[in-house]
Amino acid sequence: MKITGVELRRISMPLVAPFRTSFGTEHSRDVLLVRVVTPEAEGWAECVAMGEPLYSPEYVDGAADVMRRFMVPALTALHHVDAYGVGQALEPLKGHRMAKAALETAVLDAQLRASGESFARFLGASRDAVPCGVSVGIMNSIPQLLDTVDGYIAEGYVRIKLKIEPGWDVEPVRAVRERFGDVLLQVDANAAYTLTDSAHLAKLDAFGLLLIEQPLADDDLVQHAELARRLRTPVCLDESIESAAHAAAAISLKACSVINIKPGRVGGYLEARRIHDLCRANGVAVWCGGMLETGIGRAANVALAALPGFTLPGDTSASRRYFARDVTAPFELRDGHLDVPTGPGIGVDPDPAVLDEVTTSVEWLAG
């Protein structure tokens, strides 16, 4: 396909409740949507970079800038491009995986819409619905936490993930385990600890957790390997894994036994599938993480989570978990699962009226 132009659209999406992690609190999402236009079809994608560089070095203004100045011109200069060609064209540009992922995904969406193929079929999905977990932020009190978890279990979520940080770890986990029995439970530290905390983190072993996610710094596989030897709870890596090569290194070092795959973090769904295939071949469990996506990003994540190696429930929550109104038809839980979209491309379209209401800026980059 020849790219006619690319639209960068910023939208403001208030969250239904503040979402607090070890690195900060979000009250709304400043989302960058990407629309790629070709003569054959249009494709949509969502850049998952946050407003500030707290989760990773990327942030939404920077993503828009690098697309505008370097990435889009590199793609529109090509006479023909498909999703595989996006990665090749952008490979000389260092980093900026979330920006690259958004452009690759939008091109892939256009490509699949033109051919009438769904994301799920293209990626190799083996299920028509995926089990859903929910991520629970750090709360002001344990009673508030228990009430929140109770509500999510009542909605049908099959797995609970608790965000933790020093001072909010063992006691919240103990309270949830005592109150809700054998519910599938895991924790996420977002790199809030160091190896000197290993004895304290080992206290979590008593609660039968599925995993502890990214306990240490994102750039330290060696210390994660040492921590994994000291804990009975399986160690899962998130921020540390930005490519299949990183995943291979982590597996070789025995730095983890589970990997959270977030397509934006690793540069797109093609690389996400490579990581899935690598982990499946090496007996490493994977699950699909989330970045508080709208329905545009969620649709593609649900398709990815339907691949056979995704053996643990992901953070592919229903739309209402984060937004009172989504920009697409809402994703709704059905017996603890979300249906995998079956339409061409990502299988969903933004609602023009809602999109107009939440848009804060639009920029057209002609090919």
Side-chain angles (χ1 to χ4, degrees):
M1 300 181 298
K2 168 65 178 174
I3 296 177
T4 306
V6 176
E7 178 186 271
L8 304 182
R9 179 181 292 261
R10 297 282 281 273
I11 64 174
S12 179
M13 296 289 290
L15 299 178
V16 295
F19 187 66
R20 179 181 165 194
T21 67
S22 62
F23 56 76
T25 302
E26 289 188 84
H27 298 273
S28 66
R29 289 284 330 280
D30 178 5
V31 181
L32 173 61
L33 299 179
V34 176
R35 180 171 66 98
V36 165
V37 179
T38 77
E40 294 81 10
E42 297 182 359
W44 286 89
E46 179 172 344
C47 181
V48 298
M50 296 173 57
E52 300 176 80
L54 300 175
Y55 169 80
S56 80
E58 293 187 71
Y59 61 103
V60 67
D61 284 335
D65 185 64
V66 75
M67 286 188 207
R68 178 188 307 114
R69 295 176 60 193
F70 301 106
M71 294 182 181
V72 170
L75 297 179
T76 55
L78 301 174
H79 295 296
H80 174 84
V81 67
D82 60 11
Y84 293 99
V86 173
Q88 295 170 0
L90 301 184
E91 193 275 335
L93 303 175
K94 303 300 182 185
H96 300 284
R97 287 178 169 87
M98 293 176 179
K100 291 177 179 179
L103 286 167
E104 180 188 274
T105 303
V107 169
L108 180 57
D109 185 37
Q111 174 184 325
L112 295 178
R113 287 177 189 264
S115 66
E117 186 176 11
S118 71
F119 241 65
R121 182 184 175 96
F122 173 83
L123 291 174
S126 60
R127 290 167 285 182
D128 56 13
V130 298
C132 294
V134 65
S135 182
V136 182
I138 295 167
M139 300 283 171
N140 293 323
S141 69
I142 287 178
Q144 181 188 18
L145 172 68
L146 295 176
D147 286 346
T148 300
V149 171
D150 188 49
Y152 289 137
I153 291 176
E155 288 182 36
Y157 286 102
V158 301
R159 186 270 286 153
I160 301 295
K161 179 173 86 173
L162 303 181
K163 293 287 188 176
I164 62 171
E165 65 180 359
W168 182 266
D169 42 39
V170 175
E171 292 311 313
V173 172
R174 185 195 313 279
V176 170
R177 178 59 80 209
E178 290 178 352
R179 170 79 174 271
F180 299 104
D182 60 358
V183 64
L184 295 179
L185 184 63
Q186 64 193 57
V187 296
D188 182 8
N190 290 114
Y193 297 86
T194 69
L195 190 59
T196 59
D197 298 310
S198 61
H200 180 70
L201 292 174
K203 295 176 183 177
L204 296 171
D205 289 343
F207 304 113
L209 301 178
L210 287 173
L211 56 90
I212 178 171
E213 183 180 353
Q214 197 66 45
L216 310 181
D218 63 298
D219 59 355
D220 202 337
L221 294 180
V222 172
Q223 292 203 15
H224 272 107
E226 177 58 32
L227 180 66
R229 285 190 286 270
R230 299 183 187 184
L231 302 182
R232 294 199 309 273
T233 302
V235 170
C236 170
L237 291 180
D238 174 359
E239 290 95 324
S240 292
I241 307 301
E242 295 184 344
S243 66
H246 289 168
I251 293 168
S252 177
L253 289 169
K254 296 181 170 57
C256 65
S257 52
V258 185
I259 288 178
N260 168 355
I261 300 180
K262 292 179 180 174
R265 191 192 69 234
V266 304
Y269 289 86
L270 301 181
E271 188 72 359
R273 184 171 61 181
R274 293 183 193 106
I275 295 172
H276 162 273
D277 294 347
L278 171 73
C279 290
R280 194 178 183 205
N282 285 275
V284 172
V286 300
W287 56 283
C288 185
M291 293 290 288
L292 285 63
E293 290 93 345
T294 70
I296 291 173
R298 193 172 311 279
N301 282 354
V302 170
L304 178 70
L307 268 64
F310 284 83
T311 55
L312 297 173
D315 284 342
T316 48
S317 306
S319 295
R320 62 178 288 183
R321 162 63 185 93
Y322 297 113
F323 309 113
R325 181 173 58 171
D326 210 335
V327 296
T328 65
F331 280 84
E332 297 178 342
L333 279 186
R334 181 174 57 83
D335 296 325
H337 290 65
L338 289 186
D339 291 331
V340 178
T342 57
I346 61 174
V348 300
D349 294 292
D351 182 310
V354 176
L355 205 57
D356 285 346
E357 187 173 328
V358 298
T359 293
T360 57
S361 68
V362 180
E363 181 177 4
W364 174 252
L365 306 174

